[in-house]
Amino acid sequence: MAATERLDAVDDATVPAVRALWGRAEEADGVGAVSEAFRMALGAARPGVVHLLRRDGERLVGYGQVAEAGSPDAVAELVVDPAARRRGHGRALLDAALAEGTRSVWAHGDLDAARALAVAAGLDRRRELYRMTRPLTSADAVDPVLPEGYSARSFEPGRDDEDWVALNAAAFASHPEQGRLTLADLHERMAQPWFDASGFVLVERAGRVVAFHWTKVEPGPGEGPGRVGEVYVVGVDPAEQGRGLGGPLTALGLAHLARRGLAEGELYVAGDNTAARRTYARLGFVDAAVDVQYAVRG
């Protein structure tokens, strides 16, 4: 008989099984099963994080996670093993997440099954997050010319940490996730195997950091064909908006990725951020996929 287990932490013996489940789902669906923040929260207990394990007998067939559980911002992500779908496991996980006070759920890839589940549960389509991609060529490897008065350098751990957190908060003041990153969140990301300070580009004016382009390349064998580099986060101080930084700032990060010999660049951008989407389109990015956030009505 299938059952859902609620946990505050996932033990070391179970973590590999959950990750293997994510891998099977990603291979079947062509999109990541869960987002970065949810991947990082797998394991030891964290405030506000609830894990939901769905088992059919001894077999793990589904996983869900609720972040900020019990708060008005509670959000969940769910995944079901491809071999166990259409058997009610997704709805069981969703019901368990809603019982934890979940107000919204992210569905990666805008898949038919996720849309159907959301409709059946009475959830409304609330936000969209587009993944955009473009090839990288040798022509991208040249740094762009910045507007007069601006200069670029790499992030320096220990020197730039607090300034970056403050700049990020200002640049993403209206963003429900990115704008809330703390110094501890930054340090957690800096401890990840993909972190590379040389690919974390800061732009200064009059000795003050006013913009940044943080790139990300997941560890993997070699470089070049098949490897993808991500435009992880691009931010500009609101006081510097309208000074022509958007295009050159994006190109700075692409230049770093191209010099690494990567085949493709990718980025994620909110569907309602029309200005950013236009900037990326001018730089050759095209829509490749979309993630959707479904929300509880009312």
Side-chain angles (χ1 to χ4, degrees), residues 109-131:
D110 195 20
L111 304 175
D112 291 342
R115 288 198 298 269
L117 179 59
V119 169
L123 303 181
D124 291 329
R125 193 179 182 104
R126 184 67 53 84
R127 294 170 59 200
E128 295 177 337
L129 184 69
Y130 282 82
R131 183 170 74 90

Side-chain angles (χ1 to χ4, degrees), residues 88-102:
H89 299 307
R91 183 56 190 260
L93 284 169
L94 176 58
D95 288 343
L98 293 173
E100 296 292 333
T102 292

Side-chain angles (χ1 to χ4, degrees), residues 22 34 37 41-42 50-51 62 92 96 109 115 119 139 155-156 179 184 219 233 240 243 265 271 276 295:
W22 294 347
V34 294
L42 179 67
V50 172
H51 306 274
R115 288 198 298 269
V119 169
F155 178 90
E156 296 183 21
V233 195
E240 303 293 325
R243 298 177 183 266

Side-chain angles (χ1 to χ4, degrees), residues 180-200:
R180 297 180 181 178
L181 290 185
T182 65
L183 192 61
D185 294 326
L186 170 62
H187 289 163
E188 183 173 36
R189 283 154 179 77
M190 289 168 63
Q192 300 304 306
W194 54 260
F195 179 75
D196 174 16
S198 69
F200 192 166

Side-chain angles (χ1 to χ4, degrees), residues 3-4 11 21 53 56 68 78-79 89-90 124 138 156 159 170 181 191 207 220 234 248 253 257 260 279 288-289 292:
T4 303
D11 62 48
L21 170 62
L53 273 61
D56 190 352
E68 301 188 64
L78 317 169
V79 58
H89 299 307
D124 291 329
S138 58
E156 296 183 21
R159 169 188 174 186
L181 290 185
V234 176
L257 297 174
R260 289 192 57 173
T279 294
V292 179

Side-chain angles (χ1 to χ4, degrees), residues 41-265:
L42 179 67
R46 297 188 180 207
V49 174
V50 172
H51 306 274
L52 304 167
L53 273 61
R54 180 77 177 169
R55 299 184 188 276
D56 190 352
E58 296 297 317
R59 182 185 173 201
L60 181 66
V61 295
Y63 171 82
Q65 185 183 131
V66 182
E68 301 188 64
S71 79
D73 299 315
V75 57
E77 296 190 12
L78 317 169
V79 58
V80 175
D81 192 315
R85 291 175 179 174
R86 298 186 179 181
R87 301 178 190 176
H89 299 307
R91 183 56 190 260
L93 284 169
L94 176 58
D95 288 343
L98 293 173
E100 296 292 333
T102 292
R103 302 299 300 168
S104 65
V105 182
W106 277 104
H108 298 286
D110 195 20
L111 304 175
D112 291 342
R115 288 198 298 269
L117 179 59
V119 169
L123 303 181
D124 291 329
R125 193 179 182 104
R126 184 67 53 84
R127 294 170 59 200
E128 295 177 337
L129 184 69
Y130 282 82
R131 183 170 74 90
M132 304 180 73
T133 64
R134 80 190 271 293
L136 295 173
T137 70
S138 58
D140 294 309
V142 179
D143 283 336
V145 176
L146 293 171
E148 185 175 356
Y150 295 91
S151 61
R153 64 173 176 84
S154 295
F155 178 90
E156 296 183 21
R159 169 188 174 186
D160 296 315
D161 303 27
E162 293 185 0
D163 287 344
W164 179 83
V165 170
L167 173 57
N168 179 74
F172 293 95
S174 61
H175 195 286
E177 293 95 16
Q178 183 66 31
R180 297 180 181 178
L181 290 185
T182 65
L183 192 61
D185 294 326
L186 170 62
H187 289 163
E188 183 173 36
R189 283 154 179 77
M190 289 168 63
Q192 300 304 306
W194 54 260
F195 179 75
D196 174 16
S198 69
F200 192 166
V201 185
L202 306 183
V203 171
E204 293 182 317
R205 185 169 73 89
R208 187 171 69 89
V209 178
V210 297
F212 64 91
H213 184 151
W214 190 354
T215 65
K216 176 183 179 184
V217 182
E218 291 285 359
E223 302 286 358
R227 294 295 305 282
V228 177
E230 183 180 344
V231 176
Y232 186 51
V233 195
V234 176
V236 179
D237 187 324
E240 303 293 325
Q241 296 283 355
R243 298 177 183 266
L245 275 177
L249 184 61
T250 303
L252 274 173
L254 295 181
H256 171 79
L257 297 174
R259 285 193 291 269
R260 289 192 57 173
L262 300 173
E264 185 177 68

